[in-house]
Amino acid sequence: MSSIPEEMYHEILFRLPVESLLVCKSVCKSWYALISSSDFVNTHITMQKNNPILMLEGSSRSSSNHSLYSIGYDSLASPFCEINDDTIEIDYPFKHLDYDVRLLGTCNGLVCMWLYDYEGRRDFLCLWNPATTEYKEIPKSPDVFDRCEVCLFAFGYDCKTGDYKLAMGIEAYGTKDSSLVQVYTLTTNSWKNGQIVPYKFPYMQKSGVLVNEYLHWLAKAQGNIILLSLDMGDESFKEMQLPMDKNKHPHMILGELEGCLCILVSSYANGVKLHVEVWKMLDYGVGESWARYYIISHESIIANQLFLRLMGSFKNGEILFLSCGMLVSYDPKYGSAREEEIDNVPFLEAENYIESLVSLNSGTHVWEDDI
């Protein structure tokens, strides 16, 4: 390798998938040190952000429990895609013990999820890197949350400290318009004392939408609909400007499209849903930069606004939605849509993630569960 300039083989390694990089770590000590370094891990994450993978939560092909599937955007973008063939069922932690799973969020290749069973054996949170198979159980919070009570999830990265954090909120007992929010940090493996915030989170989207390193929700304060951002560094909420009269458009859903914060707004006439408007915040944090980009009237998109989610976009300009339990690829140029499903099984949740080398420093891996 001495004949190859160092910068060149670094660029080659940055573009390799995690599975290949784990093999490369065994080549020599210098490669092991390079690939294990935080600079390499962070640069690899940046390179992989152009190659997102969709993780889907749905019924298992082999059992009565929920399961997780993954499929690449390149496969979904192809009109010749056979989603049943291209979708991979994933072995997540404790799956072999018939634990059900609920996706809470993803960040830099790490997946946060809730594992439980209906026999009451255990009910706990877990972090997991699907690419390396490493996982870590999260200890119980001081105020034990029931998964049915939680009104918000926030799993993200604090770039100031290089730490991963999970914030969870429930409606504060004895108050009308407040929530109790607690924060877990990975490096300390512990929860901080909860704080009361003057907001309620009554909307379906409990997992925050990540844009510009901030997580976002629609919430209520004093009966008004508001847009909130959460800074994972100081764990503070900030109110942001909405693009329209918030009280005249109660049916709104947050999303991210081409790096911009987006809002899906449902339009009605005489109680009948007419279309969905897609608004983008072109200049992050500037309320005056909101612009209406698309008006969608296709039945696959407008059928049920309660279960509509904007997942992302393709290089050809199509937009991917999760709508009524199935994936829908919508072409705004022609107003057409393609519906995708796995064996007639509805998808309950979906999250975008990337492959990464981020370590949880737990020493436990999924494959060890079966030994």
Side-chain angles (χ1 to χ4, degrees):
M1 298 298 293
S2 58
S3 60
I4 301 177
E6 184 176 351
E7 295 80 6
M8 183 176 293
Y9 78 73
H10 281 198
E11 287 298 316
I12 295 172
L13 290 174
F14 285 142
R15 287 166 170 76
L16 292 179
V18 169
E19 184 178 6
S20 299
L21 288 171
L22 294 177
V23 174
C24 289
K25 290 177 74 172
S26 302
V27 171
C28 60
K29 291 182 178 179
S30 61
W31 277 27
Y32 180 90
L34 170 66
I35 297 170
S36 300
S37 68
S38 59
D39 287 343
F40 185 94
V41 172
N42 292 333
T43 303
H44 185 259
I45 287 173
T46 301
M47 302 288 283
Q48 292 300 311
K49 286 184 177 179
N50 294 322
N51 301 300
I53 303 168
L54 191 65
M55 181 173 290
L56 297 156
E57 176 191 334
S59 298
S60 174
R61 289 167 170 162
S62 55
S63 73
S64 59
N65 291 342
H66 293 174
S67 193
L68 299 179
Y69 303 88
S70 69
I71 186 168
Y73 271 74
D74 288 343
S75 295
L76 287 170
S78 171
F80 307 106
C81 166
E82 292 291 339
I83 191 170
N84 289 323
D85 298 330
D86 292 353
T87 307
I88 301 171
E89 187 169 352
I90 310 173
D91 291 328
Y92 58 85
F94 301 97
K95 178 181 177 182
H96 71 294
L97 295 177
D98 291 329
Y99 277 93
D100 239 325
V101 60
R102 182 177 179 184
L103 288 176
L104 303 186
T106 67
C107 180
N108 291 349
L110 299 182
V111 178
C112 184
M113 55 190 181
W114 207 315
L115 294 167
Y116 59 95
D117 68 5
Y118 292 103
E119 297 178 0
R121 291 177 297 174
R122 291 184 67 197
D123 192 329
F124 59 100
L125 298 164
C126 185
L127 296 178
W128 166 51
N129 185 328
T132 65
T133 76
E134 186 182 18
Y135 70 89
K136 180 181 182 66
E137 290 187 47
I138 296 177
K140 291 284 186 181
S141 66
D143 292 301
V144 179
F145 291 154
D146 183 276
R147 64 181 179 276
C148 297
E149 294 181 317
V150 175
C151 58
L152 77 85
F153 309 119
F155 179 55
Y157 180 69
D158 179 1
C159 60
K160 299 172 185 174
T161 62
D163 204 355
Y164 290 87
K165 296 180 178 180
L166 169 65
M168 300 185 69
I170 61 172
E171 186 174 336
Y173 297 113
T175 65
K176 183 180 179 181
D177 295 312
S178 300
S179 299
L180 171 65
V181 178
Q182 288 191 322
V183 177
Y184 164 86
T185 57
L186 179 60
T187 54
T188 64
N189 193 35
S190 63
W191 295 83
K192 298 181 180 180
N193 292 330
Q195 62 170 323
I196 301 293
V197 296
Y199 308 109
K200 291 186 66 176
F201 300 84
Y203 299 96
M204 294 294 293
Q205 193 163 9
K206 298 179 179 180
S207 179
V209 174
L210 180 64
V211 177
N212 202 42
E213 299 184 352
Y214 292 88
L215 288 153
H216 304 80
W217 294 265
L218 291 172
K220 276 193 172 183
Q222 299 179 346
N224 294 317
I225 301 172
I226 59 173
L227 173 60
L228 287 178
S229 68
L230 173 63
D231 185 336
M232 294 301 282
D234 59 16
E235 300 153 20
S236 63
F237 289 94
K238 178 183 178 182
E239 297 184 16
M240 301 177 68
Q241 185 175 328
L242 286 167
M244 73 293 292
D245 188 329
K246 49 188 174 294
N247 296 315
K248 290 183 179 180
H249 298 84
H251 298 293
M252 297 185 288
I253 299 172
L254 282 184
E256 179 270 336
L257 187 62
E258 298 170 346
C260 294
L261 186 64
C262 290
I263 293 184
L264 309 180
V265 183
S266 299
S267 178
Y268 292 83
N270 299 320
V272 178
K273 189 174 183 181
L274 301 178
H275 59 253
V276 171
E277 299 176 359
V278 180
W279 289 73
K280 294 172 66 175
M281 180 180 269
L282 301 180
D283 188 0
Y284 181 80
V286 179
E288 292 74 18
S289 70
W290 280 108
R292 186 174 65 181
Y293 256 60
Y294 307 111
I295 298 177
I296 303 173
S297 57
H298 197 284
E299 182 63 23
S300 297
I301 307 299
I302 70 172
N304 194 332
Q305 79 277 5
L306 293 179
F307 300 99
L308 181 65
R309 279 196 63 187
L310 173 58
M311 300 310 306
S313 60
F314 301 100
K315 296 175 183 177
N316 62 7
E318 291 187 0
I319 306 171
L320 183 66
F321 293 91
L322 179 64
S323 176
C324 300
M326 69 175 63
L327 294 174
V328 180
S329 297
Y330 175 77
D331 188 337
K333 183 177 181 180
Y334 299 103
S336 59
R338 290 183 291 111
E339 298 179 353
E340 308 280 9
E341 57 184 348
I342 302 176
D343 297 332
N344 298 314
V345 172
F347 304 128
L348 304 175
E349 192 55 87
E351 295 286 347
N352 292 304
Y353 79 103
I354 59 172
E355 286 195 345
S356 84
L357 290 159
V358 174
S359 176
L360 296 166
N361 297 314
S362 67
T364 53
H365 294 78
V366 171
W367 60 267
E368 295 172 343
D369 290 342
D370 298 321
I371 297 179

